[in-house]
Amino acid sequence: MIVEILKPEFVARISGVDAGAGPTDGEIAEIHAALDRYAVVVLRGQHLDDDRQLAFARRFGTVEATTSARRKRLGVPGLVDLANINDDGEIFERSDEPHLFSLANQLWHTDSSFKSTPARYSMLSCREATATGGETEFADLRAAYDALAPEVKATLDGLVTEHAFIHSRRVLGFEGNVPAVEAMQPVWRPIVHVHAGSERTSLYLASHASRILGWPVPEARLLLFELTEHAAQPQFVYRHTWQAGDFVLWDNRCTMHRGLRYPMDQRRDVRRVSTTDVDSRLMVNDAELAATR
Ligand code: OGA
Ligand code: MN
Protein backbone atom coordinates (compact mmCIF):
# COMPACT_ATOMS: atom_id res chain seq x y z
CA MET A 1 0.00 0.00 0.00
CA ILE A 2 1.23 3.49 -0.85
CA VAL A 3 0.01 6.58 1.02
CA GLU A 4 0.41 9.90 -0.82
CA ILE A 5 -0.56 13.20 0.76
CA LEU A 6 -2.93 15.29 -1.39
CA LYS A 7 -3.38 18.02 1.24
CA PRO A 8 -1.16 18.06 4.34
CA GLU A 9 -2.81 16.63 7.48
CA PHE A 10 -6.14 16.46 5.64
CA VAL A 11 -6.29 14.30 2.51
CA ALA A 12 -4.39 11.09 1.72
CA ARG A 13 -4.58 8.97 -1.39
CA ILE A 14 -4.01 5.27 -0.85
CA SER A 15 -3.09 3.00 -3.72
CA GLY A 16 -2.29 -0.67 -3.89
CA VAL A 17 -5.45 -1.86 -2.17
CA ASP A 18 -8.55 -3.49 -3.63
CA ALA A 19 -11.43 -2.45 -1.35
CA GLY A 20 -13.87 -4.85 -2.98
CA ALA A 21 -11.64 -7.91 -2.67
CA GLY A 22 -11.80 -8.04 1.13
CA PRO A 23 -8.64 -6.28 2.32
CA THR A 24 -6.54 -7.92 5.05
CA ASP A 25 -6.89 -6.78 8.67
CA GLY A 26 -3.52 -5.06 8.29
CA GLU A 27 -4.71 -3.11 5.25
CA ILE A 28 -7.93 -2.10 7.02
CA ALA A 29 -5.92 -0.96 10.04
CA GLU A 30 -3.71 1.19 7.80
CA ILE A 31 -6.69 2.79 6.04
CA HIS A 32 -8.34 3.34 9.43
CA ALA A 33 -5.23 5.05 10.81
CA ALA A 34 -5.05 7.30 7.74
CA LEU A 35 -8.74 8.22 8.14
CA ASP A 36 -8.24 9.12 11.79
CA ARG A 37 -5.19 11.23 11.07
CA TYR A 38 -6.09 12.90 7.77
CA ALA A 39 -9.93 12.71 7.69
CA VAL A 40 -10.26 12.19 3.91
CA VAL A 41 -8.90 9.12 2.12
CA VAL A 42 -9.12 8.72 -1.65
CA LEU A 43 -9.01 5.32 -3.34
CA ARG A 44 -9.13 5.11 -7.14
CA GLY A 45 -9.87 2.35 -9.61
CA GLN A 46 -12.19 0.53 -7.20
CA HIS A 47 -14.87 -1.30 -9.10
CA LEU A 48 -17.26 -1.94 -6.26
CA ASP A 49 -20.77 -3.29 -6.28
CA ASP A 50 -23.27 -2.53 -3.51
CA ASP A 51 -22.59 -5.70 -1.50
CA ARG A 52 -18.83 -5.19 -1.61
CA GLN A 53 -19.15 -1.55 -0.64
CA LEU A 54 -21.26 -2.59 2.35
CA ALA A 55 -18.88 -5.38 3.32
CA PHE A 56 -15.94 -2.94 3.24
CA ALA A 57 -17.81 -0.40 5.40
CA ARG A 58 -18.67 -3.07 7.98
CA ARG A 59 -14.95 -3.52 8.66
CA PHE A 60 -15.04 0.02 10.14
CA GLY A 61 -18.05 -0.40 12.42
CA THR A 62 -21.82 -0.60 12.37
CA VAL A 63 -23.41 0.55 9.14
CA GLU A 64 -26.07 3.24 9.54
CA ALA A 65 -29.64 2.33 8.68
CA THR A 66 -30.90 4.34 5.72
CA THR A 67 -33.96 6.52 6.12
CA SER A 68 -34.80 7.41 2.54
CA ALA A 69 -38.48 7.03 1.84
CA ARG A 70 -38.07 8.57 -1.60
CA ARG A 71 -35.85 6.28 -3.62
CA LYS A 72 -36.22 2.59 -4.28
CA ARG A 73 -33.59 2.10 -7.01
CA LEU A 74 -30.91 0.34 -4.96
CA GLY A 75 -33.00 -1.81 -2.67
CA VAL A 76 -29.98 -2.63 -0.49
CA PRO A 77 -30.42 -1.48 3.13
CA GLY A 78 -27.51 0.67 4.24
CA LEU A 79 -26.83 2.25 0.85
CA VAL A 80 -27.74 5.89 0.35
CA ASP A 81 -28.56 6.76 -3.25
CA LEU A 82 -27.14 10.17 -4.20
CA ALA A 83 -27.46 9.70 -7.94
CA ASN A 84 -29.52 11.89 -10.25
CA ILE A 85 -31.30 8.76 -11.48
CA ASN A 86 -34.90 7.76 -10.79
CA ASP A 87 -36.30 4.31 -9.95
CA ASP A 88 -36.65 3.59 -13.69
CA GLY A 89 -32.97 4.29 -14.32
CA GLU A 90 -33.60 7.64 -16.07
CA ILE A 91 -32.15 11.05 -15.16
CA PHE A 92 -34.52 13.03 -12.93
CA GLU A 93 -36.61 15.86 -14.29
CA ARG A 94 -35.70 19.23 -12.84
CA SER A 95 -38.87 19.37 -10.73
CA ASP A 96 -38.80 15.76 -9.42
CA GLU A 97 -39.15 15.76 -5.65
CA PRO A 98 -36.34 13.29 -4.77
CA HIS A 99 -33.98 15.42 -6.87
CA LEU A 100 -35.07 18.67 -5.21
CA PHE A 101 -34.69 17.02 -1.84
CA SER A 102 -31.17 15.79 -2.64
CA LEU A 103 -30.06 19.26 -3.73
CA ALA A 104 -29.43 19.97 -0.04
CA ASN A 105 -26.28 17.86 -0.47
CA GLN A 106 -24.88 20.91 -2.23
CA LEU A 107 -24.96 22.85 1.04
CA TRP A 108 -21.97 22.47 3.37
CA HIS A 109 -22.88 19.69 5.79
CA THR A 110 -21.70 16.65 7.62
CA ASP A 111 -23.65 13.41 7.37
CA SER A 112 -26.32 12.49 9.92
CA SER A 113 -25.43 15.19 12.45
CA PHE A 114 -29.20 15.23 13.16
CA LYS A 115 -29.50 11.55 14.07
CA SER A 116 -29.55 10.49 17.71
CA THR A 117 -26.22 8.77 16.99
CA PRO A 118 -24.38 10.78 14.34
CA ALA A 119 -22.29 9.29 11.51
CA ARG A 120 -18.59 8.61 11.93
CA TYR A 121 -17.22 7.60 8.52
CA SER A 122 -18.87 8.00 5.14
CA MET A 123 -17.75 6.06 2.07
CA LEU A 124 -18.88 7.32 -1.31
CA SER A 125 -18.47 5.17 -4.39
CA CYS A 126 -18.65 6.71 -7.85
CA ARG A 127 -20.18 4.40 -10.43
CA GLU A 128 -20.78 7.03 -13.14
CA ALA A 129 -19.20 10.50 -13.22
CA THR A 130 -20.18 13.66 -15.08
CA ALA A 131 -17.76 15.09 -17.63
CA THR A 132 -18.12 18.54 -16.05
CA GLY A 133 -19.11 19.73 -12.57
CA GLY A 134 -20.32 17.47 -9.77
CA GLU A 135 -17.09 17.59 -7.80
CA THR A 136 -17.29 17.12 -4.03
CA GLU A 137 -15.57 19.56 -1.72
CA PHE A 138 -14.34 18.76 1.78
CA ALA A 139 -13.47 21.31 4.49
CA ASP A 140 -11.08 20.57 7.35
CA LEU A 141 -12.83 21.67 10.56
CA ARG A 142 -9.73 21.10 12.71
CA ALA A 143 -7.53 23.42 10.66
CA ALA A 144 -10.45 25.86 10.51
CA TYR A 145 -10.75 25.78 14.30
CA ASP A 146 -7.02 26.29 14.79
CA ALA A 147 -7.13 29.42 12.62
CA LEU A 148 -9.95 31.13 14.57
CA ALA A 149 -9.14 34.26 16.54
CA PRO A 150 -8.76 33.64 20.30
CA GLU A 151 -11.88 35.69 21.08
CA VAL A 152 -13.96 33.61 18.67
CA LYS A 153 -12.65 30.41 20.28
CA ALA A 154 -13.65 31.87 23.66
CA THR A 155 -17.16 32.68 22.35
CA LEU A 156 -17.60 29.10 21.10
CA ASP A 157 -16.48 27.49 24.33
CA GLY A 158 -19.36 25.40 25.71
CA LEU A 159 -21.90 26.33 23.00
CA VAL A 160 -24.35 23.70 21.82
CA THR A 161 -26.25 23.76 18.53
CA GLU A 162 -29.50 22.19 17.48
CA HIS A 163 -29.34 19.95 14.40
CA ALA A 164 -32.53 19.12 12.53
CA PHE A 165 -32.59 17.24 9.22
CA ILE A 166 -35.42 19.28 7.82
CA HIS A 167 -33.63 22.58 8.44
CA SER A 168 -31.27 22.02 5.49
CA ARG A 169 -34.28 21.46 3.22
CA ARG A 170 -36.08 24.53 4.56
CA VAL A 171 -33.01 26.66 3.87
CA LEU A 172 -33.45 25.79 0.18
CA GLY A 173 -37.18 26.47 0.29
CA PHE A 174 -38.13 22.84 -0.22
CA GLU A 175 -41.91 22.68 0.17
CA GLY A 176 -42.63 19.10 -0.79
CA ASN A 177 -43.89 16.23 1.25
CA VAL A 178 -41.82 15.17 4.28
CA PRO A 179 -42.50 11.54 5.29
CA ALA A 180 -42.58 10.77 9.01
CA VAL A 181 -39.25 8.94 8.84
CA GLU A 182 -37.58 12.26 7.92
CA ALA A 183 -39.36 14.34 10.55
CA MET A 184 -36.82 13.42 13.19
CA GLN A 185 -36.55 15.04 16.60
CA PRO A 186 -33.78 17.65 16.59
CA VAL A 187 -30.65 16.83 18.60
CA TRP A 188 -28.06 18.94 20.44
CA ARG A 189 -24.37 18.87 19.54
CA PRO A 190 -21.33 20.71 20.84
CA ILE A 191 -20.05 23.30 18.35
CA VAL A 192 -16.47 22.41 19.32
CA HIS A 193 -15.16 19.01 20.39
CA VAL A 194 -11.91 17.10 20.57
CA HIS A 195 -11.91 14.78 17.57
CA ALA A 196 -11.45 11.23 18.84
CA GLY A 197 -9.50 10.13 15.75
CA SER A 198 -6.71 12.68 16.00
CA GLU A 199 -7.21 14.23 19.47
CA ARG A 200 -7.26 17.62 17.74
CA THR A 201 -9.90 20.23 18.50
CA SER A 202 -12.50 20.59 15.76
CA LEU A 203 -15.55 22.61 14.88
CA TYR A 204 -18.75 20.65 14.29
CA LEU A 205 -20.97 22.37 11.75
CA ALA A 206 -23.65 21.36 9.26
CA SER A 207 -26.45 22.77 7.15
CA HIS A 208 -28.71 20.99 9.64
CA ALA A 209 -27.63 23.29 12.48
CA SER A 210 -30.37 25.81 13.09
CA ARG A 211 -30.04 27.23 16.59
CA ILE A 212 -27.63 27.78 19.45
CA LEU A 213 -28.88 27.08 22.93
CA GLY A 214 -29.59 30.31 24.83
CA TRP A 215 -29.02 32.58 21.81
CA PRO A 216 -31.57 34.54 19.79
CA VAL A 217 -32.07 32.66 16.49
CA PRO A 218 -30.85 35.43 14.12
CA GLU A 219 -27.63 35.81 16.10
CA ALA A 220 -27.12 32.06 16.12
CA ARG A 221 -27.67 31.77 12.36
CA LEU A 222 -25.22 34.60 11.69
CA LEU A 223 -22.54 32.90 13.76
CA LEU A 224 -23.20 29.58 11.99
CA PHE A 225 -22.96 31.30 8.58
CA GLU A 226 -19.76 33.06 9.63
CA LEU A 227 -18.10 29.86 10.84
CA THR A 228 -19.17 27.94 7.74
CA GLU A 229 -17.79 30.69 5.51
CA HIS A 230 -14.56 30.69 7.49
CA ALA A 231 -14.15 26.91 7.16
CA ALA A 232 -14.90 27.05 3.42
CA GLN A 233 -11.85 29.16 2.62
CA PRO A 234 -9.54 27.57 0.05
CA GLN A 235 -6.75 26.82 2.51
CA PHE A 236 -9.06 24.41 4.38
CA VAL A 237 -10.74 22.83 1.33
CA TYR A 238 -9.98 19.87 -0.91
CA ARG A 239 -12.00 19.49 -4.11
CA HIS A 240 -12.42 15.98 -5.45
CA THR A 241 -13.05 15.54 -9.19
CA TRP A 242 -14.77 12.21 -9.70
CA GLN A 243 -13.98 9.38 -12.05
CA ALA A 244 -15.96 6.14 -12.17
CA GLY A 245 -14.20 3.75 -9.75
CA ASP A 246 -13.31 6.43 -7.20
CA PHE A 247 -14.07 5.54 -3.61
CA VAL A 248 -13.69 8.40 -1.15
CA LEU A 249 -13.82 7.90 2.62
CA TRP A 250 -14.16 10.69 5.15
CA ASP A 251 -14.58 11.33 8.83
CA ASN A 252 -17.78 13.28 9.52
CA ARG A 253 -16.64 14.28 13.00
CA CYS A 254 -14.08 16.80 11.80
CA THR A 255 -15.07 17.73 8.23
CA MET A 256 -17.86 19.23 6.17
CA HIS A 257 -18.56 18.43 2.55
CA ARG A 258 -20.79 19.55 -0.30
CA GLY A 259 -21.44 18.51 -3.87
CA LEU A 260 -20.98 21.05 -6.64
CA ARG A 261 -23.55 21.79 -9.34
CA TYR A 262 -23.47 19.80 -12.56
CA PRO A 263 -25.40 19.68 -15.85
CA MET A 264 -28.57 17.63 -15.43
CA ASP A 265 -28.29 16.04 -18.86
CA GLN A 266 -25.36 13.95 -17.60
CA ARG A 267 -25.71 10.88 -15.42
CA ARG A 268 -24.07 10.98 -12.00
CA ASP A 269 -24.27 7.79 -9.98
CA VAL A 270 -22.73 7.98 -6.51
CA ARG A 271 -23.69 5.72 -3.61
CA ARG A 272 -22.79 6.10 0.04
CA VAL A 273 -22.50 3.92 3.10
CA SER A 274 -21.88 5.49 6.52
CA THR A 275 -20.93 4.04 9.89
CA THR A 276 -22.34 5.14 13.23
CA ASP A 277 -20.28 7.10 15.76
CA VAL A 278 -20.53 4.67 18.67
CA ASP A 279 -19.34 6.20 21.98
CA SER A 280 -19.68 9.56 20.26
CA ARG A 281 -18.11 12.63 21.80
CA LEU A 282 -20.79 14.67 20.03
CA MET A 283 -23.49 13.84 22.57
CA VAL A 284 -24.79 16.56 24.89
CA ASN A 285 -26.40 15.23 28.04
CA ASP A 286 -29.38 16.69 29.88
CA ALA A 287 -27.26 18.07 32.72
CA GLU A 288 -25.14 20.06 30.26
CA LEU A 289 -28.27 21.33 28.54
CA ALA A 290 -29.79 22.39 31.86
CA ALA A 291 -26.56 24.14 32.88
CA THR A 292 -26.48 26.19 29.66
CA ARG A 293 -30.14 27.14 29.74
C1 OGA B 1 -22.83 12.47 0.52
C2 OGA B 1 -22.87 13.79 -0.13
C3 OGA B 1 -22.28 15.02 -2.10
C4 OGA B 1 -22.04 14.68 -3.52
O1 OGA B 1 -22.47 11.49 -0.14
O2 OGA B 1 -23.12 12.40 1.72
O3 OGA B 1 -23.23 14.75 0.49
O4 OGA B 1 -21.17 15.31 -4.12
N1 OGA B 1 -22.45 13.82 -1.40
O5 OGA B 1 -22.74 13.80 -4.02
MN1 MN C 1 -23.39 14.17 2.66
Side-chain angles (χ1 to χ4, degrees):
M1 261 169 61
I2 299 165
V3 182
E4 290 166 85
I5 307 309
L6 300 184
K7 192 168 176 79
E9 295 305 323
F10 186 39
V11 185
R13 179 182 168 187
I14 297 184
S15 42
V17 65
D18 184 345
T24 64
D25 287 345
E27 287 171 327
I28 294 290
E30 222 177 308
I31 296 168
H32 207 150
L35 256 178
D36 280 345
R37 174 173 175 179
Y38 297 102
V40 181
V41 169
V42 175
L43 309 174
R44 302 206 105 146
Q46 305 291 324
H47 296 282
L48 293 166
D49 62 21
D50 296 346
D51 289 333
R52 285 167 185 230
Q53 186 176 347
L54 269 172
F56 179 85
R58 286 200 191 97
R59 307 281 296 274
F60 294 81
T62 304
V63 165
E64 253 191 0
T66 48
T67 45
S68 176
R70 299 172 184 278
R71 293 169 180 243
K72 306 271 174 280
R73 186 175 67 111
L74 302 185
V76 180
L79 257 93
V80 181
D81 190 356
L82 291 126
N84 63 344
I85 299 165
N86 67 23
D87 292 347
D88 299 325
E90 307 294 334
I91 295 181
F92 282 125
E93 298 295 333
R94 201 170 178 183
S95 58
D96 284 348
E97 212 168 278
H99 164 66
L100 296 176
F101 199 75
S102 290
L103 283 177
N105 290 309
Q106 296 182 25
L107 297 172
W108 282 112
H109 69 284
T110 195
D111 294 331
S112 303
S113 67
F114 48 83
K115 288 191 182 170
S116 55
T117 302
R120 183 175 298 175
Y121 305 122
S122 284
M123 308 180 170
L124 188 60
S125 159
C126 179
R127 311 293 172 84
E128 286 180 89
T130 56
T132 52
E135 302 91 340
T136 305
E137 289 189 329
F138 296 90
D140 183 352
L141 296 186
R142 298 165 302 178
Y145 178 81
D146 291 343
L148 290 172
E151 59 273 19
V152 179
K153 288 180 180 167
T155 301
L156 299 184
D157 189 33
L159 290 187
V160 295
T161 47
E162 188 183 69
H163 290 247
F165 183 45
I166 204 62
H167 180 67
S168 56
R169 274 60 188 171
R170 292 217 176 102
V171 165
L172 288 187
F174 178 80
E175 285 171 342
N177 177 41
V178 177
V181 58
E182 291 168 0
M184 283 171 268
Q185 274 293 106
V187 297
W188 295 98
R189 302 278 173 233
I191 201 162
V192 171
H193 70 119
V194 178
H195 171 236
S198 60
E199 295 298 339
R200 291 175 59 195
T201 306
S202 180
L203 290 166
Y204 190 70
L205 298 169
S207 55
H208 318 114
S210 56
R211 299 195 295 159
I212 295 174
L213 191 63
W215 282 40
V217 171
E219 254 192 76
R221 298 247 168 114
L222 278 174
L223 180 63
L224 293 166
F225 288 142
E226 177 189 320
L227 293 171
T228 302
E229 218 175 288
H230 165 77
Q233 294 178 91
Q235 63 268 36
F236 308 127
V237 171
Y238 164 72
R239 178 180 292 182
H240 186 78
T241 302
W242 293 98
Q243 289 170 13
D246 287 356
F247 190 34
V248 177
L249 325 178
W250 66 88
D251 189 330
N252 287 293
R253 300 171 296 184
C254 61
T255 61
M256 281 191 298
H257 61 278
R258 66 169 178 184
L260 297 185
R261 211 150 42 79
Y262 57 94
M264 269 298 273
D265 58 351
Q266 297 180 28
R267 289 171 70 90
R268 182 176 190 265
D269 189 347
V270 287
R271 306 176 184 193
R272 169 163 64 79
V273 176
S274 297
T275 66
T276 59
D277 193 29
V278 286
D279 303 325
S280 183
R281 292 186 184 175
L282 295 162
M283 302 303 206
V284 177
N285 63 40
D286 291 344
E288 285 170 285
L289 281 180
T292 322
R293 244 183 255 273

